[in-house]
């Protein structure tokens, strides 16, 4: 697995520190509020697991699974819901937890979809952001790291469902996917 990584972009230590920081800020911002974190399966799993341990106010968690229609190179803006929420979100302060914001399509769709269910507020926490790749407008309240336009794997991010278990975020060697 390690041999397929060209360069480690964000180390285990760097991620741990950043997640701690974000957790602290969320705890401060949402104190006294009914906070619900919604993880987007499956990429958000490591981030979600580490983040909730750094949040020291009461909160609940739920998960959604989505997939984009069509092939990955066309962005139709349509996202298919594979697994919806288990509970209602009305009047809750929703924080969507995602691995990375790339074109922004997935989160734009999710935010609009969930807004229809009348949450008290809705915000995004993303570990990574690739602003150069943005095709639709989306703002994340919490972002871990800004990354350039490389294909990244690890800490939840996959290539063909592999590499999610790497403890760091790295650039995948081009020969692996070309
Ligand atoms: P968006 O809808 O284009 O913002 O895409 C978001 C989704 O694309 C993320 O949740 C990831 O699953 C996937 N993705 C985007 N960039 C990468 C990457 O560099 N490595 C792995 N997955 C990525
Ligand atoms: Mg994802």
């Amino acid at each position: 697995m390690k041999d397929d990584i060209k360069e480690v972009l964000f180390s285990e230590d760097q991620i741990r520190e950043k997640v701690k920081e974000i957790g602290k800020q969320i705890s401060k911002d949402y104190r006294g509020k009914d906070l619900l974190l919604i993880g987007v399966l499956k990429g958000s799993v490591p981030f979600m697991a580490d983040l909730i341990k750094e949040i020291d106010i009461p909160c609940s968690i739920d998960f959604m699974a989505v997939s984009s229609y069509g092939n990955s190179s066309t962005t139709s803006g349509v996202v298919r819901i594979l697994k919806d929420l288990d509970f209602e979100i009305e009047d809750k302060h929703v924080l969507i937890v995602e691995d990375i914001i790339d074109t922004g399509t997935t989160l734009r769709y999710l935010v609009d979809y969930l807004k229809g269910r009348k949450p008290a507020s809705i915000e995004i926490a993303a570990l990574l952001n690739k602003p150069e790749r943005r095709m639709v407008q989306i703002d994340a309240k919490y972002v871990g790291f800004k990354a350039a336009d490389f294909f990244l794997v690890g800490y939840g991010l996959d290539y063909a469902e592999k590499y999610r278990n790497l403890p760091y975020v790295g650039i995948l060697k081009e020969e692996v996917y070309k």
Side-chain angles (χ1 to χ4, degrees), residues 10-27:
F10 305 108
S11 71
E12 214 176 334
D13 284 348
Q14 278 176 296
I15 295 171
R16 192 183 304 113
E17 279 315 300
K18 188 62 79 177
V19 171
K20 223 175 238 183
E21 226 173 80
I22 296 173
K24 215 172 170 179
Q25 192 59 47
I26 291 171
S27 308

Side-chain angles (χ1 to χ4, degrees), residues 109-167:
Y109 179 86
L110 269 184
V111 166
D112 293 344
Y113 176 77
L114 294 174
K115 264 186 185 164
R117 298 188 188 172
K118 310 265 182 293
S121 69
I122 185 157
E123 299 287 354
I124 293 163
L127 181 75
L128 297 154
N129 184 21
K130 281 190 201 168
E132 289 169 39
R133 297 255 312 158
R134 201 73 85 252
M135 293 176 75
V136 295
Q137 196 273 330
I138 188 89
D139 286 316
K141 188 170 186 184
Y142 310 97
V143 172
F145 305 98
K146 196 171 116 178
D149 185 14
F150 294 108
F151 195 81
L152 309 176
V153 292
Y155 199 74
L157 293 158
D158 74 304
Y159 169 65
E161 296 298 324
K162 299 278 180 354
Y163 308 101
R164 293 193 200 274
N165 55 322
L166 285 172

Side-chain angles (χ1 to χ4, degrees), residues 40-44 98-100 164:
V40 185
L41 294 171
K42 301 177 264 262
S44 70
E98 181 53 310
D99 49 4
I100 188 165
R164 293 193 200 274

